[in-house]
Amino acid sequence: MNLENLLLEIVEGVATVTVNRPGALNALNLATLAELEDLVGEIGRNPEIRVAIITGSGTKAFVAGADIATMRDMSPMEAREMALRAHRIFAGIERSAKPFIAAVNGYALGGGCELAMACDIRMAAETAKFGQPEVNLGILPGFGGTQRLPRLIGKGRALELILTGEMIDAREALRIGLVNRIVAPGELLDETRLLAGKIAAKGLPALQLCKQAVINGLEMDIARGCAYEAELFANSFATADQKEGMAAFLEKRPAAFRDC
Ligand code: CAA
């Protein structure tokens, strides 16, 4: 895969994807979105990868948004195409069999905050900043922000962020549930990799079923969600990993999952 705007490193089942346009604070232009689309597909398919981390290059920004220079002269049709592409990519992250963790190392604004929200778990450096500043540009969040932000932090808080366009710091993001955890900037990648490693040690079928149950269940009412969960629970008993996991527990030894 030819990557010019993203870096990819795979170590012990954990892929680290770094958005690498530091001169533009890692803003997402069309080329970067195209690469991200290919890479999310590849992460889903590659058996070497169990968990993916997304972060930004440098210490200043995770992703400072969609690229404003790219968008300035777009027609409504081109803007729709770009938004639909981002929606495909972000839905691909949510629907991927592999867990995705955002390691937010600086500004996560607009499309950057939206990218972080599409990930399953968000870790943030104490210096990270979050916001949906689109209203300052005369537009609205277009990569899922109006939909994922209220689902994550509630309607009132989401509308306050979206309507004021103001940024919040990592502590406030933690307080309102926008991030899972904050750590010292120098420890962000190590801590995120530690978390990724814990998840990567589980069996892939169980990871996939857990993620599927939560992501798809959130779109259902509680009764349908529980019925769906029961089906997935049944499916987990068709895996060799279930036999191994339970045998290992009863034999008081670590499980050796075989991803099947
Ligand atoms: N698109 C394109 N370029 C960007 C960018 C973006 N989103 N954000 C920053 N840059 C560029 C700047 O233009 C600047 O480039 P030059 O050095 O060539 O002038 C470089 O990155 C450094 O940025 P600043 O000089 O502005 O750095 P700063 O420290 O003074 O400010 C900042 C940092 C507060 C993050 C500021 O850059 C900023 O406000 N950026 C824009 C944030 C934004 O509005 N994001 C939302 C975009 S719209 C969107 O994402 C829509 C959607 O929902 C998909």
Side-chain angles (χ1 to χ4, degrees):
M1 189 177 301
N2 189 23
L3 297 176
E4 287 180 8
N5 301 285
L6 302 175
L7 306 173
L8 173 66
E9 188 191 2
I10 305 172
V11 179
E12 292 175 1
V14 177
T16 304
V17 177
T18 306
V19 181
N20 187 33
R21 298 188 69 225
L25 300 188
N26 305 323
L28 300 172
N29 61 2
L30 295 176
T32 309
L33 285 173
E35 289 178 23
L36 194 55
E37 185 164 22
D38 288 347
L39 194 50
V40 168
E42 167 61 18
I43 287 168
R45 287 186 298 272
N46 187 336
E48 260 184 69
I49 300 173
R50 308 176 76 77
V51 178
I53 295 171
I54 301 185
T55 193
S57 177
T59 53
K60 195 167 167 183
F62 171 69
V63 167
D67 192 299
I68 298 168
T70 301
M71 289 186 294
R72 184 181 52 190
D73 297 324
M74 273 186 178
S75 67
M77 220 153 67
E78 288 166 331
R80 182 192 293 115
E81 268 170 32
M82 182 183 64
L84 291 177
R85 167 164 248 172
H87 286 309
R88 265 199 321 272
I89 301 167
F90 292 4
I93 290 173
E94 273 177 342
R95 310 237 165 258
S96 173
K98 314 285 171 71
F100 276 71
I101 307 174
V104 181
N105 53 310
Y107 290 112
L109 302 175
C113 189
E114 292 166 309
L115 173 60
M117 286 193 287
C119 293
D120 301 304
I121 297 172
R122 281 156 293 286
M123 299 279 283
E126 281 159 358
T127 47
K129 291 220 163 32
F130 296 80
Q132 296 289 160
E134 287 86 350
V135 74
N136 299 325
L137 299 166
I139 60 171
L140 71 155
F143 290 181
T146 63
Q147 304 307 303
R148 289 193 180 89
L149 194 58
R151 283 169 170 79
L152 261 176
I153 65 170
K155 183 176 91 171
R157 285 182 173 132
L159 276 170
E160 186 179 338
L161 278 174
I162 291 169
L163 296 178
T164 63
E166 283 180 355
M167 283 186 236
I168 55 170
D169 63 17
R171 282 198 184 284
E172 177 66 358
L174 180 68
R175 194 184 71 79
I176 64 177
L178 183 53
V179 300
N180 294 61
R181 231 191 286 169
I182 53 179
V183 296
E187 291 166 14
L188 178 65
L189 259 192
D190 283 351
E191 285 290 326
T192 307
R193 286 187 170 133
L194 207 65
L195 173 66
K198 283 184 197 170
I199 297 172
K202 318 296 180 198
L204 280 183
L207 288 178
Q208 180 172 5
L209 290 167
C210 289
K211 186 169 160 176
Q212 228 179 311
V214 171
I215 300 284
N216 295 337
L218 270 174
E219 287 166 16
M220 302 173 189
D221 62 44
I222 185 87
R224 282 188 56 227
C226 285
Y228 179 62
E229 183 194 72
E231 283 314 303
L232 299 184
F233 185 68
N235 290 352
S236 72
F237 281 73
T239 65
D241 279 357
Q242 175 266 329
K243 306 283 176 276
E244 167 59 13
M246 293 194 179
F249 175 80
L250 294 171
E251 291 160 20
K252 303 190 187 306
R253 60 172 175 82
F257 292 121
R258 290 190 293 119
D259 295 336
C260 56

